[in-house]
Each structure stands twice: as structure tokens, then as C-alpha cells.
Amino acid sequence: EAGVVQSPRYKIIEKKQPVAFWCNPISGHNTLYWYLQNLGQGPELLIRYENEEAVDDSQLPKDRFSAERLKGVDSTLKIQPAELGDSAVYLCASSKGVVTDTQYFGPGTRLTVL
Amino acid sequence: EDQVTQSPEALRLQEGESSSLNCSYTVSGLRGLFWYRQDPGKGPEFLFTLYSAGEEKEKERLKATLTKKESFLHITAPKPEDSATYLCAVQAPNDYKLSFGAGTTVTVRA
């Protein structure tokens, strides 16, 4: 069974430029999560989708971050414009359901903002 | 607010030298405690879920245990391939969110 797929794996951009990350969850997983992981820290949740609905985006900085999950499968996370402090690893995870279901993570996208 | 503290931050072991990692948590009730392994440049890989005090789970050289306030990950006779960062996360009742600790980086020398 294929795992969570993310692309690109690495991205280097200048500050103020836009950037987008893509995630394809494990087949049959209805719940999709985007996490941010800073160096030396554990992941922190940005947004959670149940099917195509964003059921919790309370931790998403909405002034510059946006996300979508059209058709309830793939998802895209966008930053516009990027700031120096956005440099981090962006992880996507998926699970069959929500509570107590194991979350499986993708390899992440490492973003560097210059 | 749920808090998860992992110790030590880093652990250097000789091959075959058993040791334990600690994860202490403050959460009102506990729906589940999760252990993940993360290799450099990769996403966290699921290891175990523990649900109640006294529960234990094993996988190869790893054994996870749970009390009401903390969890331990025991590494028995580690090998160099056990080198990684081990992350602990908790899930509160009626909540989907995983609150992660900062991790323990384990280095096993041959």
C-alpha cells in the first residue's frame, strides 16, 4: 500500500514569493492533516480536513496561508507571500477516521525562505 | 493546554547498551499516547499507541510502557539502525489533535 505522497520534497524561494505544497493521502483515508515542524521541535497542527471540509483551521495563519482539498482526496497548502520565519518542514498526514485512528505521515516538504 | 515533555533531549549509546526514553504529559484524561520514530529528512513513522495505564507494547528491540503521568520507550540491545529521533504525542478525550513533544535524538555507535 502506498504511503502519503508529498511534493516537492525541497523548495527554496525568496521572501515575498508564493509557494505551494501538494499532498496525496493514503487511499481510503478520509481525514487529512497539515503540520508544520520547526528544527528540533515536534510537529504542530495547521489544519485538519474531513473529506473536503476544513473542520479545524484555528492554527492556520489565514493572512498568508490557505489550503484546499478539492474532491476530498488531494490537498494543497499555499503560502503567499512567504516570510523568512516560514522556513520549516511542512508535513502532511492522513488517517481513516479521526479520534484514536493512527495518523500516517508523508516525507514532508522542506521550505527555505531566503 | 496539553503539554508533553521528553527527556533526555539527546542520548548517545554504544551498540548493545540498553536505555530508556521518557515522555511525561499533562492532559485532562488521555485518549491515547503515540510513539513515532523520525529519521533525518523523513516524516514521522508510527511505532505504538498506548491507551491505558499499565499497557505495554513491543516491536523488535523497542518496548513502550504507560503510567498515568508518563510513558517510557525502552530500547534493548540497540543497533546503529535504531539511531533516530523518537517523538511522543498525546491525544486528549474528544479531540483529534496530536500534541507532540520535542523528541529525543538517539545515536547508537557500533
Side-chain angles (χ1 to χ4, degrees), chain A residues 20-109:
Chain A
F21 315 124
W22 175 81
C23 172
N24 180 249
I26 293 173
S27 178
H29 282 196
N30 298 321
T31 306
L32 185 146
Y33 312 77
W34 283 101
Y35 286 86
L36 177 151
Q37 186 175 26
N38 287 305
L39 188 65
Q41 300 297 317
E44 300 173 36
L45 182 69
L46 289 172
I47 188 169
R48 171 174 70 97
Y49 281 92
E50 288 183 18
N51 298 304
E52 63 273 8
E53 182 181 0
V55 293
D56 185 357
D57 61 358
S58 59
Q59 303 303 311
L60 191 72
K62 298 180 185 65
D63 56 336
R64 298 182 299 106
F65 286 65
S66 64
E68 61 181 13
R69 191 184 184 196
L70 301 176
K71 301 182 181 179
V73 181
D74 295 359
S75 178
T76 302
L77 178 68
K78 298 178 181 179
I79 308 175
Q80 182 171 11
E83 296 179 352
L84 295 177
D86 296 331
S87 295
V89 175
Y90 291 83
L91 294 162
C92 179
S94 70
S95 65
K96 286 186 180 180
V98 182
V99 181
T100 74
D101 279 347
T102 300
Q103 296 182 26
Y104 295 93
F105 286 81
T109 297

Side-chain angles (χ1 to χ4, degrees), chain B residues 20-34:
Chain B
S20 294
L21 285 55
N22 177 265
C23 171
S24 63
Y25 60 90
T26 57
V27 64
S28 300
L30 179 71
R31 181 171 288 280
L33 184 140
F34 299 77

Side-chain angles (χ1 to χ4, degrees), chain B residues 19-89:
Chain B
S19 188
S20 294
L21 285 55
N22 177 265
C23 171
S24 63
Y25 60 90
T26 57
V27 64
S28 300
L30 179 71
R31 181 171 288 280
L33 184 140
F34 299 77
W35 282 99
Y36 285 82
R37 166 191 172 130
Q38 187 171 28
D39 292 302
K42 297 188 177 181
E45 174 188 346
F46 172 72
L47 293 173
F48 306 109
T49 307
L50 302 168
Y51 295 104
S52 57
E55 189 175 0
E56 299 181 350
K57 288 195 176 174
E58 291 188 63
K59 179 180 180 179
E60 296 181 357
R61 294 174 293 282
L62 301 177
K63 178 180 177 181
T65 62
L66 181 64
T67 72
K68 289 187 177 180
K69 294 184 178 180
E70 57 192 349
S71 176
F72 293 93
L73 183 66
H74 308 277
I75 309 178
T76 302
K79 298 182 177 182
E81 53 262 43
D82 295 321
S83 297
T85 295
Y86 291 86
L87 295 166
C88 167

